[in-house]
Amino acid sequence: MRARTEAAIGLGLLVVVAILTTSLGRSRGGGVLPDPRASSLLTGPLGVSGLAEGLQRLRVEVRRFRRDFRELDGGSRGGPGSALLVLDPSQPVRGTEVEHLLTWTRGAGGGDLVLAGPGARAIMRCFGYTVDWRYFDSVQVQPAGGAAMVVEPGRPWPKVAGVLAATTDSVVSDSSRREDTGVTTCAVPPISRVDTLLLSGSGRVVGLRLTRADTAGSVLLVADAALFRNQALRQTAAGPWALGLLVGRYDRVVFDEAHHGFEEGGSLAGATLAWSRRSPWGWAIWQLTLVGTLSLLGQAFRFGPPRRVIERRRRSPLEHVRALATALAAARGHDVAIGAIIGGLRRRLQPAGERPRGDWRPWLGHLKEQVQSRRGADAVGTLIAVTRPGQSAEAVLRAANAVEDVWEELRP
C-alpha cells in the first residue's frame, strides 16, 4: 500500500471520528454526562451531597463509611440515635455483607437503616420487601394520608421509577456467590409496626418505615433514591420531606460510600477509566486509540511478496590489499606497493603506543627469527625475495598473501 493511500485512509477515519464525537456531544448537551451514583461525595444533580450538607447545617453529625459492611464497627459507626443510609448502591451488596449488616443492626452498638433504590434490593428482601422497578415508566408520588400534591408554589412532588412490593418468604437465601462463600441466608425479623410514608398515584407503596419487634429499631424503605438526590431536593418537595425523616430523630447519619466506588485505597487509573466511560471526550479518546491500533496493525503486515534487494557483502582486509595492489600495478608502482604492504605489517606488529621508526628492511631481516612454524618462515622468505627492485604484479599478490600468513603467525 502506498504512503498516499495510507494517509488518505487515516485522514478519512479521523474525519469520521470527529463527526461522531461532535454529534454525540450535541445530543448530550455538549457537556459531561452527570455521574449517576447517589453518593454524598458528588455535587452533581444525581448526587446526594445536598442532603449531607443540609443535615450538617441542622446540627446532625454526618460520616462517610468507605469500607466493606463486614468491617462495621458499632462503637464508631453506629449506636443509639444513629442511622446508616444505603442509597441505591452502584456496586452489588454481597450476601456475607448483608449478614454482617443485619448482625450490626441487632447489636447494642447498631442503629437504624435507610434503604433506597433497586441497588439495595438484596437488603430489603431480608425485611420482607423488594423493589418493583419500572424501567420505561414513572409514577407520581404523594405523602400518605392524602396530602396535597404541591407543598408550596413551584415545588411539586417528584416522579419515581419504582414501587415497593411485599414478599412472602420468611427466610431469604442468596446463592449468587455459591462458589466463593456458599449460600447465605437471612431470616425476616418480626415487625411490630408498619408506617406508610409515600404512595403512588395508583395507591402503590413507595416509602415505608418498619419498626422491629426484636430490637425496637426501625428500617426505612424507599423504592427510588431519586427522592434524596440533589436535583429533587432543590426543585421538588422531596427536600423538606427527606430532611424531616432524619432531623430530630437521629444525632448521627452515616452514608455508605464503599458501594459507590469510593472505598478506601482507590486508584487514579480506576477513576480515569470510570470518567472515560461516562464522558463524550473519553469515548473520543477510546475511538482514537482504536483507530491508531488498527492503523499500526495494518502497517505491520506486508502486502505481497518481499522485494529482492542487492546483497552488499563487506570486503575482507585481503580484498582491500588486492585492490590496492591492482591500482598500483596499473600505475607501474609494484615496488612501492610491496613496500606499503610490508610497512603495514610492521605497524600492526608494533607494540601499542609505539610508532615504527627507520627503514623497514632491517626489521624484515630480523622478522625471520620471530616465527616458529615452517609456514611463517616461508612467508618471511617470500617477503625478503619480493623486496628486490623491478617486481611484477604477481610479486605484489605474493607479498599480500605472505603478509597475511605472517600476521596469523605473529598476531599479538
Coordinates of all heavy atoms in Angstrom, one line a residue, residues 343-358 363 370 412:
G343 N 55.2 -2.3 5.2 CA 55.1 -1.3 6.2 C 53.9 -1.4 7.0 O 53.9 -1.2 8.3
G344 N 52.8 -1.8 6.4 CA 51.6 -2.0 7.1 C 51.7 -3.2 8.1 O 51.1 -3.1 9.2
L345 N 52.3 -4.3 7.7 CA 52.5 -5.4 8.6 C 53.4 -5.0 9.8 O 53.1 -5.4 10.9 CB 53.2 -6.5 7.8 CG 53.5 -7.8 8.7 CD1 52.3 -8.4 9.3 CD2 54.3 -8.8 7.8
R346 N 54.4 -4.1 9.5 CA 55.2 -3.7 10.7 C 54.4 -2.9 11.7 O 54.6 -3.0 12.9 CB 56.4 -2.9 10.1 CG 57.4 -2.4 11.1 CD 58.4 -1.5 10.5 NE 59.4 -1.0 11.4 CZ 60.3 -0.1 11.2 NH1 60.4 0.5 9.9 NH2 61.2 0.3 12.1
R347 N 53.5 -2.0 11.2 CA 52.7 -1.2 12.1 C 51.8 -2.1 12.9 O 51.5 -1.8 14.1 CB 52.0 -0.1 11.3 CG 52.8 1.0 10.8 CD 51.9 2.1 10.3 NE 51.1 1.7 9.2 CZ 51.4 1.8 7.9 NH1 52.6 2.2 7.6 NH2 50.6 1.4 7.0
R348 N 51.2 -3.1 12.3 CA 50.3 -3.9 13.0 C 51.0 -4.8 14.1 O 50.4 -5.1 15.1 CB 49.6 -4.9 12.1 CG 48.5 -4.1 11.2 CD 47.6 -5.1 10.5 NE 48.3 -5.8 9.4 CZ 47.8 -6.8 8.7 NH1 46.6 -7.3 9.0 NH2 48.4 -7.3 7.7
L349 N 52.3 -5.1 13.8 CA 53.0 -6.0 14.8 C 53.7 -5.1 15.9 O 54.3 -5.7 16.8 CB 54.0 -6.8 14.1 CG 53.5 -7.9 13.2 CD1 54.6 -8.7 12.5 CD2 52.6 -8.9 14.0
Q350 N 53.7 -3.8 15.7 CA 54.4 -2.9 16.7 C 53.6 -2.9 18.0 O 52.3 -2.9 18.0 CB 54.5 -1.5 16.1 CG 55.5 -0.7 16.8 CD 57.0 -1.1 16.4 OE1 57.2 -1.7 15.4 NE2 57.9 -0.6 17.2
P351 N 54.2 -2.9 19.1 CA 53.5 -2.8 20.4 C 52.6 -1.6 20.5 O 52.9 -0.6 19.8 CB 54.6 -2.8 21.5 CG 55.8 -3.5 20.8 CD 55.7 -3.1 19.3
A352 N 51.6 -1.6 21.2 CA 50.6 -0.5 21.3 C 51.3 0.7 21.9 O 52.1 0.6 22.9 CB 49.4 -0.9 22.2
G353 N 51.1 1.9 21.3 CA 51.7 3.1 21.8 C 53.0 3.5 21.1 O 53.6 4.5 21.4
E354 N 53.6 2.6 20.4 CA 54.9 2.8 19.7 C 54.7 3.0 18.2 O 53.9 2.3 17.6 CB 55.9 1.7 20.0 CG 56.2 1.5 21.5 CD 57.3 0.4 21.7 OE1 57.8 -0.1 20.7 OE2 57.5 0.0 22.9
R355 N 55.5 3.9 17.7 CA 55.5 4.1 16.2 C 56.7 3.6 15.6 O 57.8 3.8 16.1 CB 55.3 5.6 15.9 CG 54.0 6.2 16.5 CD 53.9 7.6 16.2 NE 53.9 7.8 14.7 CZ 53.9 9.0 14.1 NH1 53.9 10.1 14.9 NH2 53.9 9.1 12.8
P356 N 56.6 2.9 14.5 CA 57.8 2.3 13.8 C 58.7 3.5 13.3 O 58.2 4.5 12.8 CB 57.3 1.5 12.7 CG 55.9 2.0 12.4 CD 55.4 2.5 13.7
R357 N 60.0 3.3 13.5 CA 61.0 4.3 13.0 C 62.0 3.7 12.1 O 62.4 2.5 12.3 CB 61.6 5.0 14.2 CG 60.7 5.7 15.1 CD 61.4 6.4 16.3 NE 60.5 7.1 17.2 CZ 60.9 7.7 18.3 NH1 62.2 7.7 18.7 NH2 60.0 8.3 19.0
G358 N 62.5 4.5 11.2 CA 63.6 4.0 10.3 C 63.0 3.1 9.2 O 61.8 3.0 9.0
W363 N 64.3 -4.3 9.7 CA 63.3 -5.0 10.6 C 62.9 -6.3 9.9 O 62.7 -7.3 10.6 CB 62.1 -4.1 10.7 CG 60.9 -4.7 11.4 CD1 60.7 -4.9 12.7 CD2 59.8 -5.3 10.7 NE1 59.5 -5.6 12.9 CE2 58.9 -5.8 11.7 CE3 59.4 -5.4 9.3 CZ2 57.7 -6.5 11.3 CZ3 58.3 -6.1 9.0 CH2 57.4 -6.6 10.0
Q370 N 61.6 -14.4 14.6 CA 60.5 -14.4 15.5 C 59.5 -15.5 15.1 O 58.7 -15.9 16.0 CB 59.8 -13.1 15.4 CG 60.7 -11.9 15.8 CD 60.0 -10.6 15.8 OE1 58.8 -10.5 15.7 NE2 60.8 -9.5 15.8
P412 N 49.5 -10.4 17.9 CA 49.6 -10.3 19.4 C 48.5 -10.9 20.1 O 47.3 -10.9 19.7 CB 49.6 -8.7 19.6 CG 50.0 -8.2 18.2 CD 49.4 -9.1 17.2

